[in-house]
Amino acid sequence: MAQHWQEILPIDRYNVASNGLLHEYDRKVLTFLYQPLIGSTCYSLYMTLWAELEENRLWSESSTHHLLMNLLEMNLKDIYEARLKLEGIGLLKVYVKTNEEERSFIYELHPPLNPEQFFLDGMLNIYLYRKIGKNHFARLKRFFTDKQKPKENEYHEVTAAFQDVFASAAPESLQYFQDVSADVEADENQQLIGRNETNPLQVDINTFDFNLLAAGLNESLVPQRALTPKVKNVISNLAFLYNINPIEMKNFILGAINPNDEIDIEDLRKGARDWYQFVNYDQLPSLINRTQPVAHQVQVTEPKTQEEKLIRYYETTPPLIVFKDLSGGVEPSNSNLKALEEIMIKYKLPPGVVNVMIEVVLIKTDMKFTKGFVETTASHWARKQVKTVKEAMELAKNEDRIRTDSKKAGKGANKKPIRTELIPDWFNESSEDANKDTSQGNNSDEAKKQAIKEKLKAFRK
């Protein structure tokens, strides 16, 4: 994927458009419901673009990204990364026009979901609950709710109908028989100001294997008509939210079938949520980057060397897949999954950096993925503000060199035998002293090292 400077430059121009009028109430929704999920940088970018629209207008004047950088006091990389998050969560659509002289963008702002849509979304509400906790979530829910209107059996409607109040008068002459469509419709190249409601967030249904799911349901005598488009959308979202495969999803669907052979969506959501909380110690999933953010990717050209291929792999692969590959296809345990989630959320390490750390930790702990060592490494790398895969690999190499030099000094002082550390094969082992230290390891360590190297070579191919 391209770097930010390949996508936008300070001299590139942009116009802000709005997909319908944005209301003052939208600010409250963005501030309290969206900001905890996307962060203050994305929130500031959205609000700044909104501010460029004049009151009750749909288009802004043209500006450059250099002005945007000055307004936000942000570099272009941070602006680009914030823009991608706004796109992903459905608040922004981007259009680009390129010619020989310049490149221009249209940033189309989309209104947030209304509170009812948000709290019944099934994805965003779950992420918000996990982010801010039960008490604050309940407080926000109270903030965006009000009393219900009285029950219908207590009142009866007496509203007058349109035809009871108004009448349509007939024209008295033929002068009214003319084409008025040009007067009542919008002029060419113009649009009437209105408001288009935002659709709920939807994961692409092609990311889920519905063929495998349908095959399993046929064996259980569940009719194909039960998988309506609405149900498929919910299944795709649940599969993404809780990391559910088609075989597991089949069990939740069987538990949500009603007497009419239809799938009850609320029962399906509840079943998936209860299962996830059961296997994750009553915790709910968090919203994190799936792969290394584009702004922090360094391998933008076609990789040629083995190290460049590894960097590309780490930058484009989710940590869960990397963990399974390095473990020979073995599924990570619940404690492993919890540790991975914690280091990405608590220490805010990008996914690509986490992938490097997974390899280092697995090799250093003899494939045990010890929680204490994981947290120590993660906190250290977070303090060093490691953001890219290349930085993580260089830091790991430097730490190993320091350990090697320290052991050599200790060996010269007291002549005690030193246990040789296992290291990834992308480490720089060209030093003769390092080779000497490695050769002093015992036979069992050498066997482990060779076995791990073979696993790494196998999955890299």
Side-chain angles (χ1 to χ4, degrees):
M1 298 180 69
Q3 287 280 51
H4 71 277
W5 44 263
Q6 295 175 304
E7 296 294 325
I8 53 175
L9 294 172
I11 62 172
D12 290 339
R13 306 195 69 84
Y14 71 90
N15 290 85
V16 181
S18 175
N19 184 32
L21 284 178
L22 295 170
H23 304 318
E24 185 61 30
Y25 196 72
D26 293 329
R27 298 184 192 273
K28 295 182 183 293
V29 176
L30 289 165
T31 302
F32 294 118
L33 302 184
Y34 279 83
Q35 185 174 203
L37 300 179
I38 62 179
S40 58
T41 301
C42 295
Y43 175 82
S44 298
L45 176 59
Y46 188 96
M47 288 300 181
T48 302
L49 294 175
W50 184 358
E52 291 196 46
L53 290 172
E54 294 185 20
E55 186 176 2
N56 297 331
R57 309 309 298 172
L58 299 181
W59 284 87
S60 74
E61 295 184 2
S62 178
S63 303
T64 66
H65 285 82
H66 186 265
L67 173 64
L68 196 59
M69 293 165 66
N70 290 334
L71 290 174
L72 294 168
E73 287 193 353
M74 276 194 271
N75 58 49
L76 204 58
K77 182 176 71 172
D78 293 337
I79 291 176
Y80 179 64
E81 189 170 350
R83 194 193 88 180
L84 291 178
K85 288 185 179 180
L86 290 177
E87 294 172 35
I89 208 164
L91 293 175
L92 182 68
K93 284 191 176 181
V94 180
Y95 304 89
V96 62
K97 180 178 70 174
T98 305
N99 54 40
E100 295 179 357
E101 298 179 356
E102 63 178 5
R103 180 170 51 186
S104 59
F105 293 85
I106 295 176
Y107 291 153
E108 185 182 70
L109 298 177
H110 282 240
L113 299 176
N114 62 50
E116 181 183 12
Q117 288 176 309
F118 190 98
F119 283 103
L120 299 178
D121 180 70
M123 283 185 62
L124 295 180
N125 57 341
I126 296 295
Y127 289 135
L128 182 65
Y129 185 97
R130 172 63 192 274
K131 182 70 175 182
I132 64 177
K134 179 180 179 180
N135 294 334
H136 290 296
F137 185 85
R139 178 179 177 274
L140 285 179
K141 201 170 182 181
R142 290 194 302 269
F143 181 84
F144 287 104
T145 55
D146 206 347
K147 296 179 180 179
Q148 284 188 338
K149 66 179 182 180
K151 296 180 179 179
E152 293 183 359
N153 57 5
E154 297 178 0
Y155 293 78
H156 64 277
E157 186 176 0
V158 294
T159 307
F162 175 83
Q163 67 274 10
D164 295 335
V165 179
F166 300 99
S168 183
E172 296 180 356
S173 66
L174 296 177
Q175 63 179 337
Y176 294 98
F177 286 90
Q178 55 183 321
D179 186 7
V180 297
S181 60
D183 297 326
V184 300
E185 295 177 1
D187 295 337
E188 188 177 358
N189 299 325
Q190 290 185 331
Q191 68 177 102
L192 295 172
I193 295 176
R195 165 88 171 205
N196 297 321
E197 291 300 325
T198 302
N199 294 323
L201 199 63
Q202 178 58 51
V203 175
D204 187 355
I205 63 173
N206 294 324
T207 60
F208 186 82
D209 191 348
F210 280 99
N211 292 330
L212 180 58
L213 175 64
L217 292 177
N218 287 337
E219 297 175 357
S220 303
L221 302 180
V222 175
Q224 184 69 26
R225 61 180 175 81
L227 294 175
T228 64
K230 184 177 181 180
V231 170
K232 285 187 174 181
N233 288 339
V234 173
I235 290 174
S236 299
N237 285 358
L238 290 175
F240 174 85
L241 180 65
Y242 299 120
N243 194 26
I244 301 174
N245 61 46
I247 303 301
E248 295 168 334
M249 185 65 71
K250 172 187 134 180
N251 298 326
F252 303 135
I253 291 176
L254 292 177
I257 289 289
N258 61 26
N260 297 324
D261 286 337
E262 298 173 342
I263 298 175
D264 189 302
I265 291 178
E266 289 305 315
D267 287 346
L268 181 62
R269 284 176 173 166
K270 186 177 185 303
R273 183 173 63 249
D274 291 346
W275 167 81
Y276 186 90
Q277 289 184 287
F278 176 76
V279 300
N280 289 279
Y281 308 100
D282 208 32
Q283 297 296 313
L284 289 171
S286 300
L287 189 62
I288 55 178
N289 289 323
R290 184 179 181 88
T291 57
Q292 183 77 352
V294 176
H296 296 311
Q297 293 187 12
V298 297
Q299 189 58 48
V300 296
T301 60
E302 188 65 27
K304 297 178 180 178
T305 67
Q306 188 66 26
E307 182 171 323
E308 289 178 348
K309 292 179 181 178
L310 186 60
I311 291 175
R312 171 65 66 84
Y313 170 74
Y314 282 156
E315 288 181 340
T316 58
T317 309
L320 179 62
I321 303 300
V322 171
F323 192 100
K324 290 172 62 176
D325 287 342
L326 290 170
S327 303
V330 178
E331 292 286 344
S333 65
N334 291 333
S335 60
N336 293 153
L337 290 174
K338 188 175 181 181
L340 281 174
E341 185 179 275
E342 284 182 354
I343 61 177
M344 294 183 71
I345 298 172
K346 182 177 180 181
Y347 299 106
K348 295 181 172 60
L349 292 176
V353 175
V354 173
N355 289 336
V356 178
M357 192 182 67
I358 290 172
E359 181 176 355
V360 172
V361 171
L362 284 175
I363 292 179
K364 296 289 184 182
T365 60
D366 194 21
M367 306 300 287
K368 295 177 182 177
F369 206 67
T370 307
K371 182 179 180 181
F373 189 58
V374 170
E375 291 185 345
T376 300
T377 305
S379 62
H380 177 217
W381 289 16
R383 289 193 300 271
K384 298 285 286 185
Q385 297 183 352
V386 180
K387 298 296 183 183
T388 68
V389 173
K390 187 71 173 178
E391 291 173 353
M393 294 172 71
E394 290 298 327
L395 179 60
K397 293 176 184 179
N398 291 336
E399 289 177 348
D400 187 74
R401 292 191 191 103
I402 293 173
R403 262 194 306 271
T404 301
D405 293 341
S406 176
K407 289 180 178 181
K408 286 166 59 179
K411 179 179 178 180
N414 51 35
K415 303 296 183 181
K416 291 183 178 179
I418 300 172
R419 179 182 179 274
T420 302
E421 293 281 357
L422 298 179
I423 59 176
D425 55 4
W426 43 263
F427 274 58
N428 183 7
E429 299 180 282
S430 59
S431 165
E432 292 183 0
D433 293 330
N435 288 334
K436 290 179 181 179
D437 287 341
T438 304
S439 64
Q440 293 173 357
N442 56 45
N443 292 334
S444 62
D445 285 339
E446 285 296 329
K448 292 177 183 177
K449 180 177 179 180
Q450 292 301 323
I452 294 173
K453 279 188 174 183
E454 290 300 323
K455 289 180 180 179
L456 293 175
K457 289 179 180 178
F459 90 81
R460 284 172 187 153
K461 292 179 181 178

